[in-house]
Amino acid sequence: MARARTDDHYEQLRVQPSAAPYRPRQDAGDDPGKGNPQRRLTLVCEMSENTSRRHTEQRLKATEERFRIAQIAGGIGWFEWDLMTDTWDWTPHVALLFGFDPETPRPQLADWQPAIFLDDVPKLRSAVEQAGEKGPYYVEFRVTHPDTSVHWIAGKGEITRDDAGCALRVAGVYYDITERKALEARLLALNEGLEARVADRARQLATTAAQLRETEHRFQLLVDAVTDYAIFMLDKTGHVVSWNRGAERIKGYLAGEIIGHHFSRFYTEKDRQKGVPLVALATAARTGKYEAEGTRIRKDGSTFFASVVINAIRDASGELLGFAKITRDITERKAVEDQLRQAQKMEAVGQLTGGVAHDFNNLLTVVMGNLEHLERILPPAQATERMISAALRAASRAAILTQRLLVFSRRSPLVPEVLSVNKLVAGMSDLMRRTLGEAIFIETVLAGGLWPALADANQLENALVNLAINARDAMPDGGKLTIETANTHLDEAYARLHDEVQAGQYVGIFVTDTGIGMSAETAARAFEPFFTTKEIGQGTGLGLSQVYGFIKQSGGHVKIYSEIGEGTTVKLYLPRYRGSEDVPDEGMATRDVSRGHGELVLVVEDDPDVRDYTVEMVSELGYSVLSAPDGSTALRLLDSNREVALLFTDVGLPGGMNGRQLAEQAERRRPRLKILYTTGYARNAIVHQGRLDPGVEVIFKPFSYSDLATKIRQVLDEQTGALSKRDPGVLGGG
Ligand SMILES: Nc1ncnc2c1ncn2[C@@H]1O[C@H](COP(=O)(O)OP(=O)(O)OP(=O)(O)O)[C@@H](O)[C@H]1O
Ligand SMILES: [Mg+2]
């Protein structure tokens, strides 16, 4: 077939030597003269005479061959359509492109048409029609092969026109672009999918961004609404980058004043010098978190006690971005905690000393009683008298100490009464002057209209003397002591800071000196028993303990204000008395030693030493005495001895019946029986919160001979029921 073609070309060249474009004749295959050897021989002879012509022919042949290979290799089919003759020529590949067998007889133009997709025909037609005006045309269209497979074909061609612009012929190439089209379609689909995904992602991002903005807004609102905490952020180097309202409130800076500044300015100079702020950041950066409590400074220079947490903030890759810092003002909480700790400590110490003092008290009762007894019964002799009175003096000093301890531990029975504090203070002026000496000037500032207070007058005097002595010791070179009274209201805020204080009205007594003052550490411990800064032998450290115990037991409050080198104020607050009882006049009761007239006294005491000594004392006073170690024995004795006039019983008794229960049973049998209790201990059945029940008579251990004489006489002589006239609100109330 290829060979036949070449022959055609020879013929054409011969016939049309000037032939311009290469154009195989459509009827070449049908030329009957093609195989004529005679004609060919003539031609070769002609050519051999012209070498250059032969060369040209060879070149042409080579070109022809190359063109053919290129077409096959590129899958390109060539065609030409002579419009003048309406004849159609093409290379075999075109047939392949349209799905025809290239070996079969060539189909005519009309045969091609049905292979082309109907939808693509108009496009093809208009491309060809418009070609020439717009240069070469290019069109893509689909064809269906006989096996129904669909193929994409690209057509590229040119139209040749005559001088008048009339189309003469169309020539061009067809090639298969099915694969490219499929690729394009896939690319397009991919593109579209990609676009859809991009759009989707963009939408998601927009939603997320909106949510983030909303969250951020809410978070900002939240952070700002917190006013109890300073919440702010620092950059990596510790400069403030955000600031909430809590920070504004606690530290005093507005956001505009502090953002951009280093956070170390919140620390004290001392902490800054020690590098505390940098250590804090370094710790947070290293471990993720730094926590501390300490003193911080506000904008106005004032300090507060802060609880601080610093957290490192890192991004997903672990890179440090900065720090979140939360600061809380815990000044108040710390003060309350300190107070509470102090109160608990005092309570514990009180329990301890109270127990010891109680035992001591009983021992001293025996010691002193026996010494007094010895003094009375021994024949007068200077040496023994001296020894006995020295022993008695020592014992009473021990008794005073024990008493102070009992007062501190709030176990000393108080006898509260309605008091004019002004009158009491005024009445002490002589005593004060004598106590303080000439070098100290005393001033009393007594408030007009001062409320009455409810307290034990003797103990209050004791407390004031203790304070005066401390003041004197603090002013060795002289100075001034001021005693001031005032109606005072301790409010809720104050009560919150002082755990054991009840808000309300108090009678205030403020004792101020211009002495050496106390350090904060000393002031914090001053109330502790045995805490003294004085030299050995100079102070017992029990003075302020006594003041403290007494005031607490009275339902009051005591506080020290002191500065080194400036002086000290000790403030006592006693509860205001709200009852109707008149304030009694001050005055000392006169005591005379009264004796018995043989009346029968039943002594009930479990401690045999105390019992023996009491029995001896009572009988010495002129009474007849029976004794019992417990309640049931006492009741038996009562039943068998109708003449018992007085039951003198210890409150704490063994055997399941305490002194009060014994008294109740005894009263039931003998309603007119007189009863006198004794106790060294305030916390028991007959003494409520350290105060006496109304109508109850008590003598507190250790008691002296004369005290006992007076008391027994008084109880025996009293008309039954006389005591119950006393206002229970005063003596029994809380
Ligand atoms: N007015 C004051 N000025 C300075 N320091 C005081 C004052 N009052 C008390 N102190 C300090 O408190 C400590 C305890 O006082 P407290 O009265 O309890 O015991 P004391 O005075 O040392 O001994 P005592 O009272 O038994 O003589 C004192 O040692 C002193 O350091
Ligand atoms: Mg003292």
Side-chain angles (χ1 to χ4, degrees):
M1 175 99 178
R3 176 104 195 121
R5 278 252 139 167
T6 316
D7 291 346
D8 290 348
H9 294 162
Y10 278 109
E11 189 169 356
Q12 187 175 344
L13 284 169
R14 180 180 58 81
V15 176
Q16 294 177 318
S18 61
Y22 155 83
R23 183 184 174 210
R25 273 174 35 204
Q26 193 193 359
D27 57 351
D30 307 328
D31 185 0
K34 184 177 125 192
N36 187 342
Q38 187 59 48
R39 257 172 74 186
R40 197 173 299 158
L41 190 63
T42 317
L43 187 68
V44 171
C45 287
E46 276 174 27
M47 282 166 66
S48 64
E49 286 164 10
N50 189 339
T51 338
S52 76
R53 186 170 166 187
R54 199 167 52 241
H55 274 297
T56 309
E57 277 171 2
Q58 277 170 356
R59 274 216 311 279
L60 194 63
K61 205 171 168 187
T63 307
E64 277 282 323
E65 184 58 12
R66 279 189 217 121
F67 178 60
R68 191 184 64 81
I69 291 170
Q71 278 192 54
I72 291 168
I76 294 170
W78 174 91
F79 75 92
E80 189 183 53
W81 180 20
D82 191 329
L83 295 169
M84 303 311 289
T85 58
D86 196 19
T87 48
W88 178 249
D89 191 13
W90 65 89
T91 55
H93 200 77
V94 174
L96 280 174
L97 288 173
F98 280 79
F100 295 108
D101 181 358
E103 301 293 343
T104 57
R106 296 181 171 205
Q108 288 309 299
L109 196 57
D111 297 329
W112 301 104
Q113 214 91 326
I116 299 170
F117 255 52
L118 215 57
D119 286 354
D120 294 348
V121 172
K123 164 165 89 168
L124 187 60
R125 184 166 294 142
S126 82
V128 175
E129 276 165 11
Q130 282 170 28
E133 290 156 27
K134 294 183 177 174
Y137 73 85
Y138 174 80
V139 65
E140 293 176 350
F141 57 93
R142 285 160 293 176
V143 295
T144 312
H145 284 199
D147 65 358
T148 71
S149 60
V150 174
H151 297 257
W152 272 97
I153 291 176
K156 231 179 196 170
E158 250 181 24
I159 296 191
T160 315
R161 294 170 194 276
D162 61 12
D163 291 346
C166 213
L168 299 176
R169 61 189 185 106
V170 183
V173 292
Y174 288 128
Y175 50 93
D176 191 296
I177 57 166
T178 311
E179 232 167 71
R180 198 195 83 199
K181 276 306 223 190
L183 221 63
E184 268 178 21
R186 273 224 303 284
L187 216 63
L188 197 75
L190 217 67
N191 240 350
E192 275 168 2
L194 213 64
E195 267 171 27
R197 267 164 54 200
V198 167
D200 218 40
R201 190 85 191 105
R203 257 195 314 278
Q204 271 177 18
L205 278 177
T207 317
T208 313
Q211 281 169 350
L212 200 68
R213 271 197 304 279
E214 177 62 22
T215 311
E216 254 176 23
H217 180 63
R218 278 206 220 110
F219 182 69
Q220 194 54 45
L221 284 179
L222 172 79
V223 167
D224 258 349
V226 177
T227 52
D228 286 348
Y229 291 76
I231 303 175
F232 55 100
M233 274 170 68
L234 306 176
D235 66 11
K236 273 196 283 195
T237 53
H239 292 89
V240 178
V241 291
S242 78
W243 198 245
N244 81 330
R245 286 235 297 284
E248 214 172 284
R249 191 185 69 81
I250 292 173
K251 307 219 181 203
Y253 295 95
L254 295 174
E257 297 170 324
I258 195 68
I259 286 179
H261 289 274
H262 200 263
F263 86 113
S264 58
R265 68 164 55 192
F266 308 135
Y267 288 73
T268 58
E269 182 59 37
K270 207 164 125 197
D271 279 352
R272 272 201 299 269
Q273 273 171 8
K274 280 198 285 182
V276 176
L278 296 181
V279 168
L281 285 197
T283 309
R286 197 176 62 249
T287 66
K289 189 175 185 182
Y290 170 85
E291 267 181 295
E293 289 185 356
T295 305
R296 298 289 182 272
I297 301 176
R298 296 194 184 89
K299 181 187 167 188
D300 62 8
S302 60
T303 57
F304 66 100
F305 202 78
S307 155
V308 176
V309 181
I310 302 178
N311 283 99
I313 306 173
R314 295 179 183 280
D315 66 11
S317 67
E319 175 82 12
L320 182 68
L321 299 178
F323 301 92
K325 193 162 182 285
I326 298 179
T327 302
R328 200 153 39 110
D329 182 349
I330 56 164
T331 312
E332 209 171 89
R333 193 194 81 193
K334 174 124 193 326
V336 171
E337 278 173 8
D338 287 353
Q339 287 282 338
L340 191 66
R341 209 172 301 126
Q342 182 66 14
Q344 282 167 345
K345 189 169 85 180
M346 295 300 268
E347 184 63 33
V349 176
Q351 294 274 345
L352 203 72
T353 45
V356 175
H358 174 67
D359 287 348
F360 251 79
N361 216 22
N362 275 344
L363 298 176
L364 283 171
T365 305
V366 177
V367 171
M368 287 169 77
N370 282 308
L371 284 172
E372 284 184 328
H373 188 66
L374 274 181
E375 204 176 31
R376 280 192 304 278
I377 60 169
L378 282 181
Q382 273 201 351
T384 46
E385 264 176 24
R386 248 203 339 272
M387 281 192 284
I388 288 175
S389 67
L392 265 174
R393 270 200 309 279
S396 39
R397 272 180 54 207
I400 289 167
L401 275 183
T402 310
Q403 208 50 49
R404 287 175 120 185
L405 279 177
L406 280 173
V407 171
F408 165 70
S409 57
R410 305 182 212 174
R411 291 179 182 190
S412 165
L414 296 181
V415 187
E417 56 186 289
V418 181
L419 276 185
S420 159
V421 171
N422 278 352
K423 219 176 266 177
L424 183 136
V425 171
M428 288 178 72
S429 59
D430 269 0
L431 177 64
M432 287 289 184
R433 245 173 276 284
R434 262 183 282 121
T435 309
L436 294 173
E438 308 242 304
I440 293 170
F441 174 71
I442 302 174
E443 187 179 16
T444 47
V445 185
L446 305 177
L450 190 70
W451 298 321
L454 185 67
D456 185 312
N458 280 332
Q459 290 291 354
L460 180 56
E461 278 184 6
N462 261 343
L464 292 175
V465 168
N466 270 322
L467 294 180
I469 292 171
N470 282 350
R472 179 199 66 197
D473 294 345
M475 299 185 285
D477 303 325
K480 183 177 162 189
L481 178 84
T482 311
I483 303 177
E484 201 182 330
T485 60
N487 291 335
T488 314
H489 181 79
L490 297 181
D491 60 14
E492 290 293 344
Y494 189 86
R496 263 203 306 283
L497 282 182
H498 299 81
D499 191 54
E500 77 291 12
V501 176
Q502 291 234 324
Q505 291 179 321
Y506 292 84
V507 176
I509 312 157
F510 312 141
V511 182
T512 306
D513 64 56
T514 54
I516 54 172
M518 282 178 248
S519 67
E521 292 74 31
T522 299
R525 299 193 57 191
F527 290 127
E528 284 175 24
F530 308 113
F531 175 82
T532 177
T533 56
K534 294 170 188 170
E535 278 167 31
I536 295 172
Q538 294 296 101
T540 60
L542 284 174
L544 284 179
S545 311
Q546 181 263 325
V547 173
Y548 181 87
F550 155 64
I551 292 289
K552 289 285 162 194
Q553 197 177 345
S554 306
H557 174 57
V558 54
K559 186 139 175 94
I560 297 174
Y561 297 85
S562 186
E563 258 176 65
I564 296 263
E566 294 296 324
T568 302
T569 297
V570 179
K571 292 192 165 186
L572 310 181
Y573 301 92
L574 289 169
R576 175 186 180 180
Y577 171 68
R578 289 185 169 277
S580 54
E581 186 174 313
D582 289 340
V583 180
D585 286 338
E586 298 297 315
M588 293 294 279
T590 48
R591 292 171 178 183
D592 47 357
V593 174
S594 327
R595 299 190 54 84
H597 309 293
E599 295 96 331
L600 186 53
V601 176
L602 173 54
V603 172
V604 190
E605 167 69 62
D606 57 313
D607 187 318
D609 288 341
V610 178
R611 188 172 61 240
D612 290 352
Y613 135 74
T614 308
V615 166
E616 257 173 73
M617 253 210 257
V618 174
S619 65
E620 241 185 63
L621 281 170
Y623 300 96
S624 310
V625 188
L626 287 173
S627 71
D630 54 48
S632 49
T633 315
L635 285 177
R636 266 205 314 281
L637 286 172
L638 257 185
D639 288 341
S640 50
N641 295 277
R642 304 293 304 166
E643 64 282 25
V644 173
L646 174 72
L647 173 65
F648 180 28
T649 177
D650 190 19
V651 175
L653 289 177
M657 192 192 295
N658 68 24
R660 182 168 197 160
Q661 290 158 340
L662 167 63
E664 273 168 15
Q665 299 229 12
E667 264 181 324
R668 223 168 285 148
R669 291 160 205 233
R670 308 269 302 279
R672 300 191 68 80
L673 184 70
K674 300 286 171 60
I675 294 163
L676 173 62
Y677 293 98
T678 181
T679 180
Y681 204 69
R683 295 187 182 181
N684 55 47
I686 61 153
V687 184
H688 290 169
Q689 293 155 12
R691 297 162 192 222
L692 302 181
D693 277 358
V696 168
E697 285 296 342
V698 185
I699 183 164
F700 297 110
K701 299 177 193 172
F703 43 80
S704 70
Y705 184 75
S706 60
D707 283 347
L708 185 65
T710 314
K711 200 73 191 177
I712 292 181
R713 198 63 267 156
Q714 177 207 328
V715 174
L716 280 174
D717 291 348
E718 218 149 31
Q719 293 301 306
T720 309
L723 284 171
S724 54
K725 281 193 205 119
R726 299 174 80 173
D727 180 357
V730 179
L731 295 163

